[in-house]
Structure formats: C-alpha cells, structure tokens
Amino acid sequence: MVPLFTAAAVVTGCGGPFPQSTLAPRSDFSAAVNTLFTGIFWWAVVVFVIVEGLLLFVIIRYRRREGAGEPRPLHGHTALEIGWTLAPALILVFIAVPTMRTIFATAGHAPAGALRVEVVGHQWWWEYRYPDLGIVTANELHLPVGTPVQLELTTADVIHSFWVPRLGGKRDLTPGRVTRIAFTADSAGEFSGQCAEFCGASHANMRLRVFVQPDSAFRAWVAGQRAQPAAPAPGSLAERGREDFARGACIACHTIAGLPQARGIVGPNLTHVGSRTTIAGALFPNTTEYLRRWIDDAPSLKPGALMPAIVLPDDELSALVAYLQSLR
Ligand code: CUA
C-alpha cells in the first residue's frame, strides 16, 4: 500500500521540487502573471461557492416531498434576471481590467539600457546571441540578476515558444517576425524552461536553462565567452581531436572561433561547448559518456535530431570528445 501512495505522490508531483512552477515567480514578468492568476483564482472561488451553495439550497429546500402535490408554476422574475445578467458582466470586468493591464505590462518592452539577447529557435535547440557583447552560445542562457533583459525572439525554421515558467514566457518564435520578452530577474539561480509550442519530433526534448548570476559572476562568464578557447597542448589527445574536427564532417554545421575551417551555422556554436553543463538542447549532462553517445548516434538519443550519427573508430571518438571538452 505504501509504495502505491509513494507512486501516486510522485506521479502527481506532490514530492517537489518544482523547477518549472509558475507559482514561484522570480522576475517582474512572472510575478505579474502570478498575481493575475491568483486574483482570477479567488474570483473563481467566490463564483463557485455562490453557485454551488445556491444549487444545494434549491435541491434541499425544494426537493419533492411525500403528499405535497404539484408545485405551483412560476413565470419570470425581472429583478432576478437583471441581477444574474449584471453580476457575471461585472465579474468579467473585474477579470478583464487586470488581464489587459498584465498583457500590456508584459508586452516585452524593456527600459533603455537593458541587456539585449537574440533568441533563435531551431529544431530542437536554442541559439542565444548577445549582439552588444559579441557572444553566441546555445541552450544555456546566462543573465545578470537585477538587470532588465530584452529578449528578441526569432526562428530558423518552424514556430517555437520560449518558456521559462519562473522568469518569463510563453512567447512564440514566429517565422518572419521578431517577438519580444522583457523581464528583470530578482534572484540568482538556475531556472529550467522548455519549448511550449509543438514543433516536431523532439519538441518535448527542446529544453533550456537560464543561469541568473550575480554581477561579478556574469561578468566573468562574459569575459570567458569572449576570449578564444586555449589551443590544446601539442601532442595531446585534444590536439588530435582538433585536427580530426577540422578535417571531418562537423565543420559543415558548427562554428568554433579560432578554428577557421569550422564556420557552419546549422548547428550550435561550439566555441565554448566545454563550459556548458548540458548538451543536445539541455537534454543530457555534458559528460564524456553522453558526448560520445551523442556524436556516435544522436538520433537514437533525440528522435529526429538533425545531428547525424557519426560512426568513428574508438580512438578518434575519444580525441574528438577530448577536444570538445577542452573548449572552455
Ligand atoms: Cu520548439 Cu517545440
């Protein structure tokens, strides 16, 4: 019996933690949405209690009684009818006004001087470009705490939707136009999110992470991303991997700053891939094992992945992984 209850608690999510709960906001955007939700929730509670209370009252008060005879027919009650038309209209006003206010407040216009990030949706990963900082990265978004952020969303293929429940979204990334999200994160931390618009085979695997950092940590991250990764030591496994990478199929899709052959833009920019905590749309930890499996047969790990299976001799695969891990 106990395992059954445990299983039920896990299935229904009673165990926590809740990394993607909109009820634990950590930005002005998500706080506004949460406040709106809470307000509407309590209006719904009031309506529920009144309607169900009246229903119960009528069921009990006017139930059929033995020997009571036929009830007296009624026709219309003008005051009541006006009342139950006006009351819902009033409640709708109380819901509509805060809703409109929230829609405008979260429309996506950050104050001047906000940190700009271009978010590009791809099947099935996220590209982040910081145009004012000269940084391009993937899947893991780094932001400074307490600083207004302006996200400008576009897509390279189909419609996606950017959603980090505790910070902001959902907002669609639509071909041919730029949509916006603006928010200011109020606490440092790691937040997970995901694509919220069905976009093909691996829609559910199009995950993302946001690292909200104190100013100094964010500045250190920026400095690291702007620098070119150190060249592998001569004669090292990573150096062999670098040569294999420059000669292999990888360069058709991936860019690595400092490796002139690698200029592909179809796949994620790998300049600092070794510094990320996850790979493949924030789906797997960035470990030796997963990197090997990912290169060897990406589509088996992530259905539909455009990264093809790259079958290599074992030592070549090890060298390639060593090189990618050196890109910090
Ligand atoms: Cu991208 Cu769903």
Side-chain angles (χ1 to χ4, degrees), residues 111 213 261 268 282-283 304:
Q213 300 171 300
Q261 295 92 334
L283 200 53

Side-chain angles (χ1 to χ4, degrees), residues 122 124 126 159-161 195-200 203-204 206:
H122 295 260
W124 288 273
W126 303 90
I159 300 178
H160 304 276
S161 180
C195 180
E197 179 73 52
F198 181 69
C199 56
H203 156 67
M206 188 168 169

